[in-house]
Amino acid sequence: MLVDLGPIVTGFLLIAVSTCVGVYPIKKLITIQEAKHELKHGSPGFLRSFSGILIIALWFMATWFFATIIGDWYNTDDLAGAISRSRHRLEILLRILAAFGRD
Amino acid sequence: MIENPPIAQSDLRCATCAGQCAFTPTTGQLTCHSCGACHDIKIDRSTDPTIEHRYDPALPHTEQPETTPEHPYGCETCGGEVIFAGHSMSENCPYCDGALVERLRDESYPTLGMIPFAIASDTAQENVQNWVAKRWAAPSDLSSHASRSRVAGIYVPFWTFDSHEAVDYTIRYDIRRGKRTISKTHTGFMNHYFDDLLMPASDHITPLIRDGILHDFNPRDLRPFNPAYLAGFAAERHHLSVRQGLKNNAPDKALLLRNRIKSHSGKSNITNISYKTDTTGIKYRRILLPVWIMHYEYAGKPMKIVTCGLHGRTYGERPFSIPKLLALAVLAATAVSIFGFLWGAGGLY
């Protein structure tokens, strides 16, 4: 059986793009982790170090969201349908991000 | 206002052999470099270094800078200005390793109290090396870079600020009603007391480094200013007025107040905070705190790592290795992508 390479190639492309974009969120994640262990809890420096946490959530969710579409596409061989079915997930993700942004 | 006694070289001579003495952090005594004799440091019991001074922004402030007899040394690179006591006169700036030039006079505010070094340079050097070794995604040669540099001991000027805040605040927050999000407003009032907020009075110690190295500050550890504690170390004096200090402290205070308002309101999903505070009862101290600073350069960028001279906590600036960040990013991106792929392939919503 000939496997459709479209979703596989797109999946690798997603990993490549997500890796390039992910350098900054990973750096931010390390900075936050260090702040959590080394800065005085509740101090201004400690509070400021959490200010960019949204970028990590955004990167994580964007990668996950596009991967779900590729997974759906791979399973059903229907890209248009996979995109259409992802709208519900997108709505939930946007709500989570909005809550993150407020906090 | 208290005047700081001048740093007399004769006070730092050994009573046994007239050699030069330096302060030893581990014993808290002056140690002679020639004969090794140890001498206790006499503390002036008549001065209470824990006393706080009142400041009212509405009244004219009488505190004036004084010309000090010690010649300061100015750094040509970073503009830092330090004084030395005893024999440890360095040709390089303890902050940035730049060349030092003697200046003719120094106008500064008297220091009201200080805490002497309790951590020796060897321990500080070890703490810095350990801190560097524990960094994630740091360049592989960072440890060797840091091991080529040495820590320098310096007394850094700090303020402690007290104030009472009467805060009227308004917050906007969202609540969910079925599928709709409704924005609501809540007003409240709270009293908050800031006690001994530490603020660096030097550009060289950033508030972030302060929060990394100074977790515990006990004003009862303060001692009256005594030049003997400076023997063997550099010191930067207070050059900023209280008004400037309060201005520098304002962003920290605002952040802490906003955080306090969040928890005081008891609301979640807060979208906006506005407040008005009536600040009264401002009190301050001008103090010197000991730090060990290691300055190093990585890829042409000057960085510093600081160890607290009291408890040895270490924090600083560090570079990241792009290949290591990329490796971690590829791992994370692959894991998240596989998770998402399986989720989508499983037909989950």
Side-chain angles (χ1 to χ4, degrees), chain B residues 149-196:
Chain B
S149 307
R150 293 290 305 171
V151 291
I154 182 162
Y155 285 97
V156 180
F158 274 85
W159 276 289
T160 68
F161 284 120
D162 291 0
S163 65
H164 173 256
E165 312 287 334
V167 188
D168 279 305
Y169 65 82
T170 305
I171 57 161
R172 288 183 73 82
Y173 63 103
D174 288 346
I175 54 164
R176 296 279 302 169
R177 285 260 168 86
K179 283 199 164 185
R180 287 194 312 144
T181 303
I182 301 167
S183 189
K184 288 200 149 198
T185 303
H186 169 79
T187 55
F189 174 80
M190 66 170 198
N191 281 300
H192 189 67
Y193 186 70
F194 285 115
D195 186 27
D196 291 331

